[in-house]
Amino acid sequence: MKRFIKVLTPLALAALCLAGCSNIPDYPAVTSVEKHTYINEVGETVPVAENIGDYPGITQPPKSIATTHEVEFVMNSYYVCGNTVVTFSEIEFENIDTPQNEVYGSFNGVITGKDKKDTEFRIAYNAYDENGNLIKENGCMSRNVSKMKKDDKISFTFGVPLGTAKIEFVDYK
């Protein structure tokens, strides 16, 4: 029995030490909501009246007008992937001036805890339309963090399908 205790004690102490080396905060992440807008320069087309005097019988092509869109972002104060922690700082949107299917945004943060073994950090997101219907599920943002360290700034690019009213960021599973 003494031999068993002599072997078990160092193993138990090593396990406790490794369990105490976690970078994950002891408190739960706080969820917040932010609203951001982007301008789509070719968001809507309107017909142009026929120019009868100058060109009889010819209709002018539709004219594009800019539209403003608001997207609600639901995010946590921090995200965890492996034993690396990224604290959220801000979201930025691009304005678009050519027709496309999605808008791109940047999710910016700071590495507040980093494990040397972690080489990649991922955050997932879901996009919803104005009726709450899921239009993009399990979108993934990924960055190589092998050469990064604690307090480094990190940025992720993500695609937002046109027509999105809400995006929810979640820990990647």
Side-chain angles (χ1 to χ4, degrees):
M1 181 71 172
K2 287 183 181 182
R3 185 173 180 201
F4 178 72
I5 292 174
K6 285 182 180 181
V7 171
L8 186 60
T9 303
L11 292 175
L13 287 174
L16 286 173
C17 179
L18 289 176
C21 296
S22 175
N23 290 320
I24 302 169
D26 294 335
Y27 54 91
V30 176
T31 302
S32 62
V33 176
E34 289 185 8
K35 291 185 179 183
H36 292 270
T37 59
Y38 69 91
I39 298 171
N40 184 349
E41 293 294 334
V42 290
E44 192 175 320
T45 57
V46 292
V48 177
E50 192 171 41
N51 211 347
I52 295 173
D54 295 336
Y55 305 99
I58 297 176
T59 303
Q60 299 295 325
K63 177 182 173 184
S64 295
I65 58 172
T67 56
T68 303
H69 305 272
E70 186 173 77
V71 179
E72 180 179 87
F73 291 96
V74 179
M75 74 278 298
N76 295 332
S77 55
Y78 66 85
Y79 292 88
V80 177
C81 185
N83 197 21
T84 299
V85 179
V86 169
T87 301
F88 166 75
S89 63
E90 69 178 338
I91 289 179
E92 296 176 7
F93 253 145
E94 71 166 352
N95 291 320
I96 56 175
D97 55 2
T98 58
Q100 54 192 23
N101 293 330
E102 44 182 28
V103 179
Y104 291 95
S106 283
F107 179 97
N108 303 315
V110 176
I111 295 177
T112 53
K114 172 77 171 67
D115 192 316
K116 292 179 183 178
K117 293 183 239 170
D118 290 342
T119 58
E120 190 171 36
F121 194 94
R122 294 178 182 161
I123 299 174
Y125 66 98
N126 298 318
Y128 303 89
D129 66 11
E130 65 275 352
N131 298 321
N133 298 321
L134 188 65
I135 57 176
K136 184 171 189 172
E137 184 176 19
N138 295 327
C140 181
M141 304 179 295
S142 178
R143 280 292 308 271
N144 183 328
V145 294
S146 59
K147 295 182 181 177
M148 296 181 132
K149 56 190 179 309
K150 186 177 177 186
D151 296 327
D152 281 354
K153 292 181 180 180
I154 188 168
S155 180
F156 299 89
T157 301
F158 62 96
V160 179
L162 293 181
T164 298
K166 176 182 170 184
I167 290 190
E168 180 180 29
F169 294 103
V170 295
D171 283 324
Y172 182 82
K173 303 277 187 238

